[in-house]
Amino acid sequence: LAFVSDILAGDIRAAGRLMRGIDMQLPESLETLTHLYPHTGRAHIVGVSGSPGAGKSTLITGLISAFREQGKTLGILLLDPTSPYSTGAILGDRVRMQTHALDKNVFIHSTATRGNTGGLSLAVPGIVAVMDAMGKEIIIVETVGAGQDEVDIRHLAHTNVIVVTPTMGDDMQALKAGILETAHIFALNQSDHADAETAHHLLKAMIQLSQKDDAAWRPPVIKTIAVHHQGISELAEQIAHHKHHLEKVESPKQTSDHMQGLLALILRERFMDTLRVELSENSRWKKLLERMAQRKIDPYAAAEKVLKQLTHT
Ligand SMILES: Nc1nc2c(ncn2[C@@H]2O[C@H](COP(=O)(O)OP(=O)(O)OP(=O)(O)O)[C@@H](O)[C@H]2O)c(=O)[nH]1
Ligand SMILES: [Mg+2]
C-alpha cells in the first residue's frame, strides 16, 4: 500500500507504472485502483473530441498554458486514434506539448483507445481515476470523434468540448444529432479559414435547432485559432463556467448517467471477452454451432438460445 500513498502524493513514476499496468489490465494494478478509488471524484474531467487534424492537440496545448496561469494542476490523456490519418500523431503531440513536459504540475499520458466494442478501452476510466487520485484538478482527454468515441467519452467527461473546423463544410451537416445534444462547448477552430463566418452561422443554427426550449445550458461556440493562441482564454473560461453550472444545476443527474455508462462500458468489454472464450471453448455450444452450419437453426434464434441459457445459469 506504499504504492497507493505514492500515487496520492502525486509520484509521477509510480503513476506511470500503474497506468501501464491498467493498460494491460493487470490484476495487481486493478487492486491498487480499488484502494485509490475512494480518493477520486475531485477532478474536473474535460473531453476534447473532433475529427483527425481539427486542432485538438494544439488547442489542448493552449489550454494547458491558460490553466497553468491560474495555478491549476493538470492531467492530459491522449487517446491514440486508430485512424490512418493519425499515424505517429501521438509522438507529434508529445513533441508539441513538450514545453509543458518539464512542468511537474502537468502529467501527460497516452494510450490506445480501442476496446473490443470499438469504443473507449477498459483502461481509460482507470487511468483517469489515477490522475484524479494524484490530485490533478483538471483532466483533459483528447479523443478522435470519428467513431463512437464521443458517445463513450460522455460517460467520463463532465464537460464535452467538440472541435469543429470551417473546412468541414457540408460535413458539418453530418454532425450526428447525438453529438450536438451532448456537446457542452463547441470550439470552431481554424477560424483563420475563409469559410469561418459561414461555418459559424451554420453551426449556431444547428445547435439552436437541436436544443430543447427549456435547456438549462446552451452550448456556446468559441471561435479559435489554436496555432495563434486566439480564443483559448475564452475557451478556458467557458470550461470553468460550465463547471460552475454543473455544481449548481445538473450534477446529480450527470453523475448517475456517468455511473450507468461506465458500468455498461466495462460490463460490455468483460462480457465480450467471456463470450468469446465461452463460444470457442465450451463444448456445450458445439451442437448448436453444427445445427447452424446445417441450416437447422438461424443465427438469430441461436443467439436467443445462448442468451437465455447464459442469463439463466
Ligand atoms: N490554420 C490553422 N491551422 C491549425 C489551427 N490549429 C491547428 N492547426 C494545424 O492543424 C494541424 C493539426 O493540428 P493538431 O492539433 O495536431 O490536430 P488534432 O486534432 O490533435 O489531430 P489528430 O490528433 O491527428 O486527430 C497542425 O499542423 C496544426 O498546426 C488553426 O487554428 N488554424
Ligand atoms: Mg491530436
Side-chain angles (χ1 to χ4, degrees):
L1 289 185
F3 202 51
V4 171
S5 54
D6 287 345
I7 304 280
L8 293 176
D11 186 315
I12 292 171
R13 267 167 205 269
R17 205 158 3 118
L18 179 58
M19 286 177 191
R20 284 189 294 279
I22 293 172
D23 265 333
M24 294 183 277
Q25 295 283 293
L26 301 179
E28 65 264 34
S29 302
L30 298 182
E31 163 95 31
T32 307
L33 203 53
T34 303
H35 295 290
L36 286 177
Y37 211 72
H39 301 279
T40 64
R42 292 171 297 173
H44 182 63
I45 304 168
V46 180
V48 176
S49 326
S51 318
K56 302 177 293 294
S57 299
T58 317
L59 277 173
I60 291 171
T61 306
L63 285 174
I64 296 174
S65 304
F67 287 128
R68 283 303 299 137
E69 270 166 32
Q70 300 169 13
K72 304 265 194 239
T73 58
L74 292 124
I76 311 295
L77 180 55
L78 306 169
L79 299 184
D80 179 14
T82 49
S83 122
Y85 299 97
S86 302
T87 319
I90 292 290
L91 190 65
D93 290 345
R94 286 264 192 172
V95 171
R96 262 174 273 138
M97 289 182 189
Q98 209 169 34
T99 36
H100 299 288
L102 297 173
D103 181 346
K104 67 176 170 32
N105 294 304
V106 182
F107 185 95
I108 303 174
H109 183 84
S110 47
T111 187
T113 38
R114 302 292 154 164
N116 284 325
T117 49
L120 290 190
S121 84
L122 276 183
V124 174
I127 290 169
V128 168
V130 176
M131 291 185 178
D132 192 338
M134 287 170 83
K136 300 304 172 207
E137 293 164 283
I138 301 175
I139 299 170
I140 304 180
V141 184
E142 173 179 334
T143 168
V144 167
Q148 294 176 316
D149 284 27
E150 58 276 291
V151 175
D152 284 332
I153 197 75
R154 277 189 322 197
H155 302 304
L156 213 54
H158 302 107
T159 301
N160 278 306
V161 177
I162 307 293
V163 183
V164 294
T165 62
T167 48
M168 280 173 83
D170 289 343
D171 287 351
M172 207 178 270
Q173 311 272 12
L175 275 178
K176 285 178 231 113
I179 299 176
L180 278 174
E181 280 152 23
T182 54
H184 300 117
I185 299 167
F186 285 91
L188 179 59
N189 193 44
Q190 302 183 19
S191 281
D192 47 334
H193 193 277
D195 295 336
E197 268 317 303
T198 318
H200 190 219
H201 288 297
L202 179 61
L203 185 57
K204 285 210 294 198
M206 286 175 63
I207 293 167
Q208 185 78 35
L209 282 172
S210 73
Q211 289 290 297
K212 296 197 184 75
D213 287 340
D214 60 348
W217 174 265
R218 294 181 180 277
V221 179
I222 318 294
K223 282 193 275 183
T224 58
I225 306 174
V227 273
H228 297 148
H229 213 84
Q230 280 181 37
I232 306 289
S233 56
E234 244 183 298
L235 183 58
E237 230 168 74
Q238 285 297 333
I239 291 170
H241 188 43
H242 184 248
K243 179 175 186 278
H244 290 136
H245 166 78
L246 286 175
E247 282 160 2
K248 274 188 304 190
V249 203
E250 269 177 10
S251 227
K253 161 101 172 72
Q254 192 189 52
T255 304
S256 130
D257 286 353
H258 277 189
M259 296 308 120
Q260 200 181 315
L262 275 176
L263 203 52
L265 167 75
I266 296 166
L267 283 173
R268 203 163 61 208
E269 293 289 321
R270 296 296 302 274
F271 190 66
M272 289 297 284
D273 285 338
T274 312
L275 192 61
R276 235 187 288 282
V277 174
E278 173 74 19
L279 292 179
S280 63
E281 287 173 21
N282 191 331
S283 57
R284 72 163 153 163
W285 308 114
K286 215 172 152 223
K287 201 150 194 122
L288 184 69
L289 295 171
E290 278 167 17
R291 289 179 62 217
M292 279 173 74
Q294 292 157 356
R295 298 297 190 266
K296 286 182 181 155
I297 185 167
D298 70 85
Y300 301 98
E304 192 64 34
K305 252 187 186 336
V306 172
L307 202 58
K308 274 212 176 95
Q309 288 200 43
L310 287 182
T311 51
H312 287 100
T313 47

